Amino acid sequence: MRRTLVVGNWKMNGSKEANADLVAGIVSEAGNVANADMAICAPFVYLSDVANAVNDTNISVGSQDVSVHLEGAYTGEISASMLLDCSCKYAIIGHSERRQYHGESNLLVAQKALTAYKSGLIPIICLGESLEERESGQVEVIIGEQLQAVQSVMGADAIAKSVIAYEPVWAIGTGLTATPEQAQDVHGFIRSRLGTDAEKVSILYGGSVKSANAAELFAQKDIDGALVGGASLNAQEFIGIAAAG
Ligand code: PEP
């Protein structure tokens, strides 16, 4: 049985002071969330602060990226072992903003996911199509290619212990959400490609999830939780989403 997972992606938002308030708000309401696990993916520099603030709660911590390299002369990069040192459990990999603004290819995303997994992090591997790709009927081709790259590099055992996030690019930060049926179609497609371990893998939906639309998304058979951007910056919204789990 897959347990609902709700992950907040703070992106490049926050400050020490604002984060302390936000996490305190989330922690104070966390007892109302009975049926979901929660995680906060904060900017690198705040990971230790957030980890300390959620210590002894049902909330985990994750990063928004990881280096493909293990250590060495890679200025500005953050390794998987550093993330583990800061109490991270998860690492978001291949978010569409990394693919779009940092030129991350399907191959690099797959290699990062493998590095994270081998180091002991749980990769949250993001897949998603653009509006143009959807409108030209390419959804399964694009998602299939992104997933295939991860499967070739990681192998089935590693994917079975990872998390996949389907995030249609056109729904991220736009206020447009895929309908539950649109999302379920793609989640079902992804699961159909996962082979014998398919039922073990959590597949999250991401794209303008809010407390008002979480329950109908989570009611879909292959939607196992959410990756939440904007709404994760509001404690009540984030808790409202997790409480729908
Ligand atoms: C995201 O950035 O992963 C995301 C889903 O953002 P939003 O919820 O704001 O659409």
Side-chain angles (χ1 to χ4, degrees):
M1 183 67 187
R2 299 181 300 271
R3 192 171 151 79
T4 301
L5 174 63
V6 174
V7 180
N9 172 14
W10 285 1
K11 310 195 187 194
M12 198 174 72
N13 292 296
S15 64
K16 267 189 186 279
E17 200 182 340
N19 299 346
D21 285 351
L22 178 53
V23 180
I26 293 170
V27 167
S28 71
E29 299 287 328
N32 297 328
V33 177
N35 298 319
D37 293 325
M38 291 177 279
I40 294 171
C41 294
F44 290 131
V45 291
Y46 297 129
L47 286 170
S48 292
D49 289 347
V50 175
N52 286 335
V54 300
N55 199 18
D56 287 333
T57 71
N58 54 349
I59 305 166
S60 307
V61 175
S63 67
Q64 301 170 16
D65 185 28
V66 66
S67 176
V68 72
H69 305 290
L70 293 178
E71 65 176 347
Y74 301 102
T75 303
E77 294 273 274
I78 304 289
S79 71
S81 64
M82 293 171 184
L83 297 175
L84 290 163
D85 234 2
C86 296
S87 308
C88 283
K89 178 173 177 181
Y90 298 100
I92 298 174
I93 317 255
H95 190 281
S96 63
E97 288 153 14
R98 302 276 335 156
R99 293 178 187 259
Q100 186 178 349
Y101 303 134
H102 301 271
E104 295 198 6
S105 65
N106 287 348
L107 179 61
L108 179 62
V109 169
Q111 289 168 332
K112 285 186 169 192
L114 181 63
T115 299
Y117 168 75
K118 278 187 165 171
S119 304
L121 292 162
I122 300 176
I124 300 174
I125 305 160
C126 300
L127 315 175
E129 83 286 357
S130 67
L131 187 58
E132 201 184 2
E133 289 159 347
R134 172 163 284 266
E135 287 179 338
S136 60
Q138 298 291 297
V139 176
E140 293 192 354
V141 174
I142 298 299
I143 301 296
E145 283 171 3
Q146 293 173 346
L147 184 59
Q148 179 56 46
V150 175
Q151 289 175 305
S152 314
V153 170
M154 290 186 85
D157 286 355
I159 293 183
K161 297 190 182 90
S162 303
V163 173
I164 291 177
Y166 168 57
E167 297 209 302
V169 179
W170 49 272
I172 296 179
T174 58
L176 296 173
T177 316
T179 64
E181 295 73 25
Q182 281 175 323
Q184 168 57 33
D185 280 352
V186 181
H187 282 234
F189 169 72
I190 293 169
R191 203 176 302 285
S192 76
R193 291 290 175 100
L194 292 176
T196 49
D197 290 317
E199 292 302 321
K200 293 185 194 159
V201 181
S202 282
I203 308 176
L204 312 184
Y205 169 77
S208 300
V209 178
K210 318 178 218 13
S211 59
N213 60 19
E216 58 178 6
L217 288 161
F218 297 166
Q220 302 300 309
K221 119 177 184 328
D222 291 302
I223 299 183
D224 305 315
L227 180 53
V228 185
S232 71
L233 299 172
N234 177 303
Q236 278 189 332
E237 270 296 302
F238 186 63
I239 287 292
I241 294 167

